[in-house]
Amino acid sequence: MNKNILLVDDDPGIRNSLTMLLRNEGYSVDATSHSVEAEILIKKNRYNVCLFDYKMKDLNGIELLKITKNINPQCSVFIVSAMLNIDELCKKEVNSGLLDGIISKPF
């Protein structure tokens, strides 16, 4: 089964590097810097995994998480962030099982 991944990060270096790495590993990746575009992609496509930056302009990663789980509850969602307090900000979502994990930047 092909793994379809959505990557949403407003940092072009992170977004481009991760996209290239994941594609080189054989994954199908859609990448965007805009949370509004991500919402459209989530409604249009079926993703196995979503990687969301926490802090973005329109919607944050937790808001995208909730949208994603409402549309596709089986999708695994990870928050990617450089924020030092990200564990505390996402505690409720992790404890409830809504969020599958947190990935700290830089990698």
XYZ file of all heavy atoms in Angstrom:
841
model
N 0.840 -1.189 0.000
C 0.000 0.000 0.000
C 0.881 1.246 0.000
O 1.832 1.353 0.759
C -0.903 -0.013 1.241
C -1.818 1.173 1.308
S -3.033 1.017 2.624
C -2.298 2.087 3.849
N 0.560 2.177 -0.861
C 1.318 3.418 -0.946
C 0.939 4.329 0.215
O -0.229 4.517 0.509
C 1.030 4.105 -2.285
C 1.976 5.251 -2.551
O 3.029 5.357 -1.953
N 1.597 6.103 -3.465
N 1.928 4.893 0.876
C 1.680 5.818 1.980
C 1.612 7.230 1.428
O 2.552 7.709 0.799
C 2.796 5.728 3.025
C 2.801 4.437 3.781
C 1.721 4.430 4.823
C 1.826 3.189 5.684
N 0.854 3.125 6.713
N 0.480 7.877 1.663
C 0.283 9.256 1.236
C 0.454 10.166 2.442
O -0.208 9.982 3.461
C -1.111 9.436 0.642
C -1.301 8.582 -0.585
O -0.456 8.556 -1.464
N -2.394 7.859 -0.643
N 1.339 11.143 2.288
C 1.674 12.040 3.389
C 1.368 13.477 2.996
O 1.671 13.916 1.887
C 3.168 11.905 3.759
C 3.466 10.480 4.227
C 3.571 12.927 4.813
C 4.932 10.203 4.485
N 0.787 14.208 3.950
C 0.618 15.654 3.798
C 1.559 16.331 4.770
O 1.537 16.047 5.972
C -0.820 16.068 4.096
C -1.086 17.583 4.095
C -0.769 18.199 2.724
C -2.512 17.886 4.508
N 2.383 17.222 4.252
C 3.348 17.982 5.046
C 2.976 19.453 4.968
O 2.868 20.014 3.869
C 4.761 17.761 4.508
C 5.868 18.634 5.065
C 6.040 18.427 6.559
C 7.167 18.355 4.338
N 2.769 20.067 6.126
C 2.412 21.486 6.170
C 3.390 22.199 7.089
O 3.404 21.978 8.300
C 0.967 21.698 6.677
C 0.596 23.173 6.573
C -0.018 20.831 5.912
N 4.237 23.035 6.493
C 5.221 23.799 7.260
C 5.527 25.077 6.502
O 5.771 25.041 5.298
C 6.499 22.979 7.461
C 7.356 23.508 8.590
O 7.670 24.720 8.583
O 7.719 22.725 9.481
N 5.508 26.209 7.202
C 5.746 27.485 6.538
C 7.236 27.780 6.333
O 7.574 28.728 5.640
C 5.055 28.632 7.268
C 5.433 28.730 8.729
O 6.228 27.900 9.211
O 4.917 29.640 9.405
N 8.113 26.952 6.865
C 9.553 27.112 6.658
C 9.949 26.336 5.399
O 9.892 25.107 5.382
C 10.315 26.574 7.871
C 11.815 26.710 7.739
O 12.363 26.536 6.624
O 12.464 26.979 8.763
N 10.339 27.051 4.319
C 10.629 26.361 3.062
C 11.788 25.368 3.172
O 11.788 24.335 2.505
C 10.957 27.486 2.079
C 11.215 28.694 2.907
C 10.516 28.501 4.210
N 12.762 25.638 4.009
C 13.886 24.719 4.175
C 13.438 23.390 4.756
O 13.800 22.315 4.256
N 12.652 23.456 5.824
C 12.116 22.248 6.461
C 11.194 21.513 5.492
O 11.301 20.300 5.291
C 11.348 22.600 7.755
C 12.276 23.217 8.802
C 10.592 21.391 8.292
C 13.226 22.254 9.450
N 10.274 22.257 4.883
C 9.287 21.658 3.979
C 9.967 20.961 2.803
O 9.669 19.806 2.494
C 8.311 22.737 3.486
C 7.138 22.203 2.715
C 6.162 23.301 2.298
N 6.777 24.307 1.438
C 7.124 25.536 1.827
N 6.897 25.938 3.049
N 7.675 26.378 0.979
N 10.903 21.633 2.159
C 11.565 21.061 0.988
C 12.459 19.876 1.356
O 12.480 18.872 0.647
C 12.371 22.133 0.251
C 11.482 23.200 -0.348
O 10.302 22.971 -0.619
N 12.025 24.395 -0.541
N 13.178 19.981 2.462
C 14.060 18.886 2.897
C 13.265 17.635 3.248
O 13.614 16.523 2.827
C 14.894 19.311 4.115
O 15.752 20.360 3.785
N 12.210 17.818 4.034
C 11.384 16.669 4.420
C 10.674 16.054 3.216
O 10.572 14.826 3.105
C 10.350 17.083 5.462
C 10.763 16.993 6.916
C 9.649 17.483 7.829
C 11.157 15.584 7.288
N 10.191 16.893 2.324
C 9.530 16.392 1.117
C 10.493 15.537 0.311
O 10.145 14.414 -0.097
C 8.993 17.555 0.262
O 8.027 18.277 1.020
C 8.360 17.049 -1.021
N 11.699 16.017 0.090
C 12.695 15.284 -0.680
C 13.065 13.968 0.019
O 13.120 12.910 -0.612
C 13.949 16.138 -0.889
C 14.966 15.488 -1.802
S 16.347 16.568 -2.237
C 17.004 16.977 -0.639
N 13.287 14.028 1.323
C 13.643 12.836 2.096
C 12.548 11.776 2.009
O 12.819 10.597 1.737
C 13.890 13.216 3.559
C 14.140 12.054 4.507
C 15.554 11.535 4.338
C 13.898 12.486 5.936
N 11.303 12.183 2.225
C 10.190 11.236 2.207
C 9.950 10.668 0.811
O 9.679 9.470 0.663
C 8.923 11.909 2.743
C 8.965 12.253 4.238
C 7.825 13.196 4.604
C 8.922 10.991 5.083
N 10.060 11.478 -0.203
C 9.893 10.989 -1.584
C 11.006 10.010 -1.947
O 10.750 9.010 -2.628
C 9.838 12.147 -2.566
C 8.510 12.876 -2.514
C 8.421 14.004 -3.503
N 7.101 14.634 -3.422
C 6.859 15.871 -3.828
N 7.815 16.611 -4.364
N 5.642 16.370 -3.702
N 12.220 10.302 -1.506
C 13.334 9.386 -1.758
C 13.129 8.035 -1.085
O 13.676 7.022 -1.526
C 14.673 9.991 -1.302
C 15.151 11.076 -2.235
O 14.718 11.180 -3.383
N 16.048 11.916 -1.746
N 12.338 8.014 -0.016
C 12.016 6.771 0.687
C 10.793 6.075 0.087
O 10.349 5.048 0.590
C 11.775 7.043 2.175
C 13.025 7.465 2.924
C 14.099 6.382 2.949
O 13.747 5.194 3.113
O 15.277 6.719 2.776
N 10.241 6.654 -0.980
C 9.149 6.020 -1.692
C 7.748 6.476 -1.317
O 6.758 5.908 -1.783
N 7.656 7.514 -0.496
C 6.346 8.014 -0.093
C 5.818 9.016 -1.105
O 6.575 9.729 -1.753
C 6.420 8.689 1.281
C 6.781 7.738 2.390
C 8.078 7.704 2.893
C 5.836 6.872 2.923
C 8.423 6.820 3.912
C 6.171 5.994 3.939
C 7.464 5.968 4.425
O 7.799 5.104 5.419
N 4.505 9.083 -1.210
C 3.833 10.106 -2.000
C 3.566 11.281 -1.058
O 2.915 11.107 -0.025
C 2.519 9.547 -2.553
O 1.786 10.560 -3.175
N 4.092 12.467 -1.411
C 4.019 13.611 -0.498
C 3.387 14.814 -1.183
O 3.795 15.209 -2.271
C 5.432 14.009 -0.001
C 5.354 15.194 0.957
C 6.144 12.832 0.647
N 2.389 15.381 -0.509
C 1.870 16.696 -0.864
C 2.398 17.652 0.200
O 2.312 17.347 1.395
C 0.343 16.729 -0.853
C -0.275 15.954 -1.999
O 0.389 15.816 -3.051
O -1.412 15.486 -1.850
N 2.933 18.769 -0.218
C 3.501 19.728 0.730
C 2.986 21.124 0.435
O 2.849 21.513 -0.725
C 5.023 19.702 0.665
N 2.711 21.854 1.503
C 2.249 23.231 1.369
C 2.725 24.041 2.571
O 3.033 23.485 3.619
C 0.713 23.312 1.245
O 0.339 24.675 1.059
C 0.017 22.755 2.468
N 2.760 25.338 2.385
C 3.132 26.231 3.474
C 1.908 26.894 4.098
O 2.020 27.584 5.099
C 4.082 27.320 2.960
O 3.452 28.082 1.950
N 0.748 26.686 3.513
C -0.456 27.392 3.948
C -1.472 26.435 4.561
O -1.886 25.454 3.928
C -1.103 28.116 2.765
C -0.185 29.077 2.100
N 0.146 30.292 2.656
C 0.504 29.001 0.938
C 0.991 30.926 1.865
N 1.224 30.168 0.820
N -1.921 26.749 5.754
C -2.887 25.895 6.436
C -4.239 25.873 5.727
O -4.936 24.855 5.743
C -3.041 26.324 7.892
O -3.409 27.679 7.983
N -4.610 26.960 5.089
C -5.881 27.003 4.361
C -5.826 26.049 3.161
O -6.778 25.313 2.893
C -6.231 28.446 3.931
C -7.458 28.475 3.048
C -6.429 29.333 5.158
N -4.705 26.044 2.452
C -4.529 25.097 1.344
C -4.511 23.666 1.874
O -5.059 22.753 1.256
C -3.241 25.388 0.575
C -3.041 24.472 -0.613
C -1.769 24.740 -1.393
O -1.062 25.725 -1.103
O -1.471 23.940 -2.288
N -3.901 23.467 3.034
C -3.872 22.141 3.651
C -5.282 21.640 3.924
O -5.591 20.469 3.689
C -3.063 22.182 4.940
N -6.150 22.516 4.410
C -7.528 22.133 4.685
C -8.222 21.645 3.408
O -8.947 20.648 3.419
C -8.296 23.293 5.310
C -9.689 22.933 5.735
C -10.423 24.059 6.443
O -9.862 25.175 6.592
O -11.567 23.825 6.843
N -7.967 22.323 2.301
C -8.541 21.921 1.007
C -8.004 20.542 0.607
O -8.761 19.671 0.176
C -8.228 22.977 -0.077
C -8.967 24.275 0.240
C -8.587 22.457 -1.476
C -8.502 25.483 -0.555
N -6.688 20.336 0.760
C -6.080 19.052 0.417
C -6.620 17.918 1.292
O -6.852 16.810 0.811
C -4.551 19.135 0.549
C -3.842 19.972 -0.507
C -2.388 20.228 -0.115
C -3.930 19.295 -1.866
N -6.828 18.182 2.566
C -7.357 17.175 3.493
C -8.761 16.744 3.070
O -9.110 15.569 3.152
C -7.356 17.723 4.937
C -5.924 17.879 5.437
C -8.173 16.832 5.865
C -5.787 18.773 6.658
N -9.552 17.689 2.606
C -10.917 17.379 2.172
C -10.926 16.649 0.830
O -11.838 15.866 0.556
C -11.740 18.662 2.071
C -12.040 19.261 3.433
C -12.766 20.578 3.332
C -13.037 21.146 4.725
N -13.632 22.479 4.661
N -9.902 16.870 0.018
C -9.838 16.326 -1.335
C -9.156 14.961 -1.402
O -9.510 14.132 -2.239
C -9.085 17.336 -2.211
C -8.925 16.974 -3.647
C -8.184 18.072 -4.382
C -7.675 17.606 -5.715
N -6.800 18.576 -6.343
N -8.167 14.714 -0.545
C -7.332 13.513 -0.624
C -7.420 12.680 0.650
O -7.790 13.174 1.706
C -5.869 13.905 -0.861
C -5.695 14.694 -2.127
O -5.987 14.213 -3.206
N -5.235 15.928 -2.001
N -7.035 11.438 0.539
C -7.002 10.520 1.686
C -5.540 10.299 2.068
O -4.799 9.650 1.337
C -7.640 9.193 1.288
C -7.910 8.312 2.437
C -9.360 8.456 2.797
N -9.720 7.500 3.817
C -10.580 7.776 4.744
N -11.161 8.948 4.771
N -10.889 6.896 5.643
N -5.135 10.849 3.207
C -3.752 10.727 3.674
C -3.639 9.672 4.765
O -4.541 9.523 5.592
C -3.241 12.072 4.201
C -3.149 13.122 3.125
C -4.115 14.112 3.006
C -2.116 13.092 2.192
C -4.050 15.061 1.997
C -2.042 14.038 1.181
C -3.011 15.019 1.085
O -2.949 15.946 0.080
N -2.505 8.964 4.748
C -2.196 8.008 5.811
C -1.545 8.717 6.990
O -1.757 8.351 8.143
C -1.251 6.914 5.307
C -1.801 6.201 4.098
O -1.377 6.469 2.985
N -2.757 5.316 4.309
N -0.726 9.724 6.666
C 0.039 10.461 7.681
C 0.015 11.941 7.337
O 0.158 12.322 6.171
C 1.508 9.973 7.742
C 2.328 10.790 8.718
C 1.581 8.491 8.084
N -0.140 12.777 8.377
C -0.026 14.226 8.219
C 1.012 14.736 9.202
O 1.030 14.328 10.370
C -1.355 14.921 8.492
S -2.609 14.628 7.227
N 1.876 15.611 8.719
C 2.886 16.280 9.533
C 2.584 17.771 9.490
O 2.677 18.395 8.431
C 4.292 16.010 8.976
C 4.690 14.539 8.824
C 5.992 14.424 8.048
C 4.810 13.883 10.185
N 2.193 18.326 10.645
C 1.793 19.725 10.699
C 2.727 20.523 11.596
O 2.968 20.130 12.739
C 0.376 19.873 11.279
C -0.704 19.197 10.487
C -1.777 18.611 11.145
C -0.682 19.153 9.109
C -2.803 18.000 10.437
C -1.696 18.543 8.387
C -2.762 17.960 9.057
N 3.194 21.638 11.084
C 3.879 22.608 11.937
C 2.834 23.112 12.931
O 1.647 23.196 12.607
C 4.411 23.758 11.081
C 5.343 24.691 11.832
O 5.657 24.425 13.013
O 5.760 25.691 11.234
N 3.255 23.421 14.144
C 2.284 23.907 15.131
C 1.877 25.340 14.839
O 0.708 25.675 14.806
C 2.845 23.815 16.554
C 1.857 24.314 17.580
C 0.844 23.492 18.045
C 1.906 25.621 18.054
C -0.095 23.940 18.953
C 0.971 26.087 18.964
C -0.024 25.243 19.410
O -0.947 25.707 20.299
N 2.870 26.181 14.607
C 2.622 27.618 14.496
C 2.624 28.048 13.027
O 3.653 28.016 12.362
C 3.702 28.373 15.276
C 3.423 29.829 15.467
C 4.479 30.453 16.367
C 4.225 31.918 16.562
N 5.248 32.525 17.398
N 1.422 28.427 12.542
C 1.275 28.912 11.177
C 0.352 30.118 11.179
O -0.245 30.441 12.201
C 0.719 27.798 10.291
C 1.681 26.644 10.125
S 1.001 25.322 9.124
C -0.134 24.553 10.278
N 0.209 30.753 10.029
C -0.526 32.018 9.956
C -2.023 31.883 10.225
O -2.554 32.543 11.092
C -0.289 32.679 8.609
C 1.093 33.226 8.472
C 1.307 33.926 7.158
C 2.755 34.390 7.084
N 3.123 34.801 5.772
N -2.727 31.064 9.470
C -4.187 31.035 9.581
C -4.669 30.046 10.647
O -5.276 30.433 11.621
C -4.812 30.709 8.222
C -4.520 31.797 7.206
O -4.783 32.967 7.510
O -4.022 31.475 6.116
N -4.429 28.788 10.429
C -4.804 27.746 11.373
C -3.537 27.165 11.978
O -2.545 27.016 11.289
C -5.564 26.621 10.664
C -6.843 26.996 9.922
C -7.344 25.815 9.097
C -7.907 27.449 10.905
N -3.570 26.793 13.253
C -2.381 26.151 13.808
C -2.485 24.633 13.620
O -3.494 24.114 13.141
C -2.151 26.540 15.272
C -3.197 25.997 16.223
O -3.717 24.895 16.055
N -3.509 26.782 17.247
N -1.444 23.929 13.985
C -1.392 22.487 13.786
C -2.490 21.731 14.506
O -2.997 20.726 14.001
N -2.884 22.192 15.685
C -3.944 21.528 16.434
C -5.291 21.703 15.732
O -6.106 20.781 15.674
C -4.006 22.041 17.895
C -2.712 21.681 18.635
C -5.229 21.494 18.620
C -2.413 20.201 18.729
N -5.527 22.872 15.170
C -6.772 23.090 14.422
C -6.815 22.187 13.188
O -7.851 21.597 12.879
C -6.905 24.561 14.035
C -7.138 25.466 15.243
C -6.942 26.940 14.947
O -5.983 27.293 14.233
O -7.756 27.732 15.444
N -5.677 22.054 12.495
C -5.619 21.148 11.345
C -5.787 19.694 11.783
O -6.408 18.892 11.071
C -4.298 21.308 10.592
C -4.196 22.479 9.632
C -2.811 22.536 9.008
C -5.258 22.389 8.547
N -5.236 19.347 12.929
C -5.400 18.005 13.489
C -6.880 17.672 13.643
O -7.341 16.606 13.217
C -4.697 17.927 14.849
C -5.089 16.785 15.782
C -4.574 15.459 15.256
C -4.567 17.048 17.183
N -7.638 18.576 14.230
C -9.063 18.343 14.467
C -9.841 18.225 13.158
O -10.714 17.361 13.018
C -9.634 19.445 15.355
C -9.074 19.369 16.775
C -9.512 20.524 17.626
C -8.870 20.419 19.018
N -9.162 21.566 19.849
N -9.517 19.063 12.187
C -10.155 18.980 10.864
C -9.854 17.632 10.229
O -10.742 16.952 9.705
C -9.680 20.138 9.960
C -10.235 21.463 10.469
C -10.065 19.889 8.500
C -9.578 22.692 9.864
N -8.579 17.233 10.293
C -8.151 15.969 9.686
C -8.866 14.783 10.316
O -9.390 13.913 9.615
C -6.630 15.791 9.845
O -5.966 16.889 9.228
C -6.148 14.487 9.220
N -8.909 14.727 11.636
C -9.524 13.592 12.336
C -11.032 13.534 12.112
O -11.611 12.448 12.105
C -9.203 13.642 13.827
C -7.751 13.354 14.143
C -7.367 11.926 13.794
C -5.977 11.594 14.274
N -5.666 10.169 14.196
N -11.686 14.688 11.893
C -13.109 14.693 11.581
C -13.378 14.086 10.208
O -14.387 13.433 9.993
C -13.689 16.104 11.635
C -13.963 16.558 13.045
O -14.234 15.756 13.929
N -13.894 17.853 13.265
N -12.465 14.304 9.274
C -12.624 13.810 7.904
C -12.078 12.398 7.752
O -12.662 11.559 7.077
C -11.929 14.774 6.912
C -12.658 16.121 6.926
C -11.882 14.183 5.503
C -11.928 17.223 6.214
N -10.922 12.136 8.374
C -10.229 10.862 8.212
C -9.667 10.417 9.566
O -8.484 10.627 9.851
C -9.107 11.028 7.172
C -8.340 9.769 6.913
O -8.642 8.707 7.437
N -7.306 9.878 6.092
N -10.488 9.794 10.402
C -10.056 9.424 11.752
C -8.865 8.454 11.794
O -8.146 8.401 12.784
C -11.290 8.757 12.368
C -12.428 9.090 11.494
C -11.881 9.443 10.151
N -8.652 7.694 10.722
C -7.548 6.730 10.697
C -6.201 7.362 10.377
O -5.157 6.726 10.532
C -7.821 5.615 9.675
C -8.964 4.693 10.057
C -10.330 5.323 9.796
O -10.503 6.088 8.856
N -11.296 5.008 10.634
N -6.185 8.591 9.946
C -4.933 9.271 9.596
C -4.087 9.483 10.849
O -4.575 9.926 11.884
C -5.239 10.615 8.939
S -3.761 11.494 8.389
N -2.797 9.162 10.750
C -1.856 9.438 11.840
C -1.355 10.864 11.689
O -0.897 11.250 10.611
C -0.672 8.475 11.784
O -1.111 7.149 11.974
N -1.454 11.644 12.764
C -1.075 13.058 12.706
C 0.021 13.336 13.723
O -0.074 12.945 14.886
C -2.283 13.979 12.974
C -1.856 15.443 12.911
C -3.398 13.711 11.965
N 1.060 14.032 13.242
C 2.182 14.428 14.079
C 2.363 15.940 13.986
O 2.242 16.513 12.903
C 3.473 13.742 13.618
C 3.418 12.248 13.740
C 2.858 11.480 12.735
C 3.913 11.627 14.871
C 2.789 10.099 12.851
C 3.853 10.242 14.995
C 3.287 9.479 13.984
N 2.650 16.561 15.108
C 2.981 17.985 15.135
C 4.497 18.100 15.074
O 5.214 17.400 15.792
C 2.449 18.665 16.422
C 0.917 18.643 16.450
C 2.984 20.092 16.554
C 0.235 19.498 15.392
N 4.967 18.983 14.207
C 6.402 19.236 14.049
C 6.645 20.670 14.505
O 6.033 21.591 13.985
C 6.829 19.063 12.576
C 8.311 19.272 12.418
C 6.410 17.694 12.048
N 7.530 20.851 15.499
C 7.694 22.200 16.038
C 9.054 22.395 16.695
O 9.637 21.451 17.226
C 6.603 22.474 17.069
O 6.742 23.771 17.590
N 9.506 23.636 16.667
C 10.727 24.024 17.374
C 10.410 24.696 18.706
O 11.311 25.076 19.441
C 11.554 24.970 16.500
N 9.124 24.828 19.012
C 8.731 25.504 20.247
C 9.127 24.650 21.457
O 8.876 23.442 21.487
C 7.218 25.751 20.251
C 6.779 26.698 19.150
S 4.979 26.825 19.000
C 4.555 27.495 20.590
N 9.728 25.283 22.448
C 10.200 24.559 23.627
C 9.062 23.997 24.463
O 9.203 22.953 25.089
C 11.086 25.460 24.480
C 12.393 25.911 23.824
C 13.143 26.874 24.733
C 13.264 24.717 23.474
N 7.910 24.653 24.475
C 6.786 24.215 25.293
C 5.743 23.430 24.496
O 4.597 23.311 24.913
C 6.129 25.410 25.980
C 5.531 26.393 24.991
O 5.923 26.436 23.829
N 4.589 27.195 25.458
N 6.135 22.849 23.384
C 5.178 22.172 22.506
C 4.517 20.988 23.203
O 3.329 20.727 22.999
C 5.828 21.747 21.167
C 4.758 21.329 20.160
C 6.875 20.675 21.364
C 3.815 22.414 19.740
N 5.246 20.270 24.058
C 4.646 19.135 24.776
C 3.483 19.591 25.645
O 2.449 18.936 25.708
C 5.692 18.426 25.644
C 6.719 17.685 24.812
O 6.380 17.258 23.694
O 7.856 17.527 25.276
N 3.650 20.721 26.295
C 2.593 21.257 27.150
C 1.408 21.751 26.320
O 0.250 21.543 26.683
C 3.141 22.390 28.022
C 2.190 22.854 29.093
C 1.797 21.763 30.091
O 2.633 20.908 30.415
O 0.629 21.783 30.530
N 1.694 22.387 25.190
C 0.624 22.910 24.334
C -0.228 21.792 23.734
O -1.414 21.983 23.471
C 1.210 23.768 23.214
C 1.844 25.090 23.634
C 2.557 25.734 22.454
C 0.790 26.039 24.185
N 0.367 20.628 23.523
C -0.330 19.514 22.873
C -0.704 18.396 23.848
O -1.144 17.327 23.424
C 0.547 18.934 21.771
S 0.921 20.088 20.444
N -0.539 18.632 25.123
C -0.749 17.602 26.141
C -2.140 16.957 26.054
O -2.276 15.738 26.086
C -0.525 18.205 27.529
C -0.547 17.213 28.641
C -0.222 17.917 29.956
C -0.094 16.922 31.082
N 0.310 17.586 32.330
N -3.167 17.769 25.942
C -4.545 17.267 25.893
C -4.747 16.346 24.689
O -5.344 15.274 24.807
C -5.509 18.450 25.847
C -6.959 18.077 25.713
C -7.815 19.325 25.633
C -9.223 18.998 25.220
N -10.012 20.183 24.925
N -4.241 16.751 23.531
C -4.425 15.980 22.303
C -3.634 14.676 22.345
O -4.091 13.653 21.841
C -4.025 16.817 21.080
C -4.994 17.933 20.759
C -4.901 19.159 21.664
O -3.928 19.280 22.442
O -5.815 19.996 21.600
N -2.440 14.702 22.934
C -1.634 13.486 23.064
C -2.313 12.528 24.043
O -2.479 11.337 23.754
C -0.187 13.807 23.515
C 0.568 12.542 23.873
C 0.554 14.572 22.430
N -2.712 13.030 25.202
C -3.333 12.185 26.225
C -4.648 11.565 25.766
O -4.991 10.463 26.170
C -3.546 12.965 27.526
C -2.247 13.259 28.233
O -1.223 12.624 27.979
N -2.262 14.228 29.129
N -5.378 12.265 24.912
C -6.657 11.746 24.419
C -6.473 10.763 23.258
O -7.429 10.124 22.840
C -7.560 12.896 23.975
O -7.065 13.476 22.781
N -5.251 10.677 22.727
C -4.988 9.793 21.600
C -5.285 10.419 20.250
O -5.131 9.782 19.210
N -5.705 11.673 20.254
C -6.015 12.370 19.007
C -4.743 12.635 18.193
O -4.725 12.488 16.980
C -6.723 13.689 19.326
C -7.450 14.400 18.205
C -8.561 13.524 17.632
C -8.053 15.703 18.702
N -3.680 13.001 18.885
C -2.394 13.300 18.251
C -1.471 12.110 18.431
O -1.310 11.596 19.546
C -1.783 14.545 18.902
C -0.446 15.039 18.357
C -0.566 15.450 16.897
C 0.049 16.223 19.185
N -0.856 11.672 17.329
C -0.009 10.486 17.370
C 1.395 10.754 17.869
O 2.091 9.823 18.282
C 0.031 9.834 15.985
C -1.332 9.285 15.619
O -1.681 8.207 16.123
O -2.060 9.949 14.858
N 1.844 12.002 17.827
C 3.166 12.299 18.344
C 3.625 13.709 18.019
O 2.966 14.436 17.270
N 4.764 14.054 18.611
C 5.385 15.358 18.407
C 6.809 15.124 17.930
O 7.535 14.313 18.496
C 5.395 16.164 19.730
C 3.953 16.393 20.210
C 6.146 17.479 19.559
C 3.853 16.910 21.627
N 7.199 15.843 16.885
C 8.550 15.764 16.346
C 9.187 17.130 16.550
O 8.658 18.145 16.094
C 8.535 15.388 14.846
C 7.828 14.038 14.661
C 9.954 15.366 14.287
C 7.539 13.699 13.221
N 10.305 17.143 17.230
C 10.995 18.404 17.533
C 11.932 18.820 16.407
O 12.623 17.977 15.827
C 11.798 18.278 18.830
O 10.930 18.040 19.906
N 11.909 20.100 16.084
C 12.860 20.685 15.129
C 13.964 21.360 15.944
O 13.696 21.829 17.032
C 12.181 21.766 14.264
C 11.126 21.278 13.337
C 10.733 22.371 12.349
C 9.404 23.010 12.673
N 8.955 24.002 11.718
N 15.145 21.463 15.443
C 15.637 20.866 14.200
C 15.845 19.370 14.391
O 15.984 18.889 15.494
C 16.949 21.589 13.948
C 17.432 21.991 15.303
C 16.183 22.231 16.125
N 15.890 18.666 13.264
C 16.008 17.207 13.300
C 17.457 16.806 13.458
O 18.347 17.356 12.977
C 15.442 16.560 12.024
C 14.115 17.146 11.647
C 13.962 17.901 10.505
C 13.014 16.936 12.452
C 12.732 18.431 10.149
C 11.774 17.462 12.106
C 11.641 18.213 10.957
